[in-house]
Amino acid sequence: MSDIINQLKKGIAEDNIKINHSLASYTTFKIGGPADIFLSPSKIEEIEWALEVAKKEDINYYVLGNGSNVLIDDQGLRGMVIYLGENYTDVKVNGTNITAQSGVSLKELSLLALENNLTGLEFAVGIPGTLGGGVYMNAGAYGGQLGDAIEEVVCIVQGNIKTYQKDSIEFGYRSSTFQKEGAVILEGVVSLDKDKHTEIKKLMDDFTQRREDKQPVEMASAGSVFKRPEGYYAGKLIQDSGLKGHKIGGAQVSTKHCGFIVNIGNASSNDVKKMIQYIQQTVKAKFGVSLERELRYLG
Ligand SMILES: Cc1cc2nc3c(=O)[nH]c(=O)nc-3n(C[C@H](O)[C@H](O)[C@H](O)COP(=O)(O)OP(=O)(O)OC[C@H]3O[C@@H](n4cnc5c(N)ncnc54)[C@H](O)[C@@H]3O)c2cc1C
């Protein structure tokens, strides 16, 4: 381990390397044990170096954005976590385009669009992820999705920096080319349109209000746990299965939105996993519908 750390130090600032570092506070679920090695790179060269060392030493690595769509095991993660969050947030506006590093939050990005009278990111204002996580997941809400705004993505695939133009990226429902390729997303360019500030703001306020009315935004969760099954809403199926408020350990089906599982205090990763299984079995038995997980398990 100390040999790996010494190698990492050759290409990554010491302040950006932590050992046996707890991950719970890096997730919106507030769940997860420690990472053997936790890196928070601040430039591309540091990310490239981390990947090179991981490959050379044959150790696992995990990429983490704002941790708003992941469940990390209580045992933590062996190998290294590359956290592309608050240390990796350069952003610039160029006409109707915004170029941002992957750690920029979707909230900041959409507010920057508003500030510059640019429309196209209103849907993203309440999604608590980063640009990198949002592109990877093709995050979306209220009829919008990141894939529609993206013009270009720069990432590392199998050790090489690669630039994808819009036409060469496949975005599906909560899926993207980058999941299939195991890409580490470095940067994205979103292409927006000019509009009136008041119109953009009105739409954002409306989406924010709708979210606050319907979702347990004040509680620890990872958003909608399941993808929307064709022809149904996961939350409604779960509610109609009688599971509203159902508890397993510290995990509870939200009483405000049954598509969310909330951490009501010291939920373990196992509590959440058991709850997910229980929901899937119950909904399948009652309605014959298989709920597919949107939440990603790390570790
Ligand atoms: C209250 C709440 C509301 C939510 N509402 C919505 C919603 O309306 N719509 C929606 O789509 N989602 C929603 N989500 C889920 C989540 O916010 C999105 O999926 C978001 O895009 C995840 O971004 P992140 O940075 O948190 O990614 P993380 O959770 O950190 O990671 C998610 C996945 O992306 C990968 N990843 C992250 N960054 C990168 C990168 N730079 N390069 C390569 N891979 C990367 C991770 O390895 C992981 O597999 C919500 C979550 C919460 C808690």
Side-chain angles (χ1 to χ4, degrees), residues 110-157:
S110 42
L111 292 178
L112 188 64
L114 169 67
E115 205 178 286
N116 287 276
N117 303 330
L118 296 171
T119 181
L121 281 183
E122 293 88 338
F123 73 90
V125 71
I127 302 179
T130 59
L131 175 71
V135 169
Y136 189 85
M137 295 301 302
N138 189 20
Y142 307 115
Q145 55 178 14
L146 223 43
D148 294 339
I150 278 291
E151 192 59 32
E152 186 181 293
V153 174
V154 181
C155 50
I156 301 181
V157 185

Side-chain angles (χ1 to χ4, degrees), residues 26 28 62-70 84 102 106 123 126-142 174 178 183-186 211 215-217 219 221-224 260 294 296 298:
Y26 293 89
T28 54
Y62 302 87
V63 183
L64 192 63
N66 196 42
S68 64
N69 204 34
V70 292
L84 297 179
S102 56
L106 290 173
F123 73 90
I127 302 179
T130 59
L131 175 71
V135 169
Y136 189 85
M137 295 301 302
N138 189 20
Y142 307 115
R174 302 296 171 263
F178 309 106
V184 178
I185 297 164
L186 303 172
R211 211 175 261 281
Q215 298 180 1
V217 288
M219 300 189 75
S221 82
S224 298
F260 284 51
E294 177 182 325
R296 298 179 76 87
L298 293 191

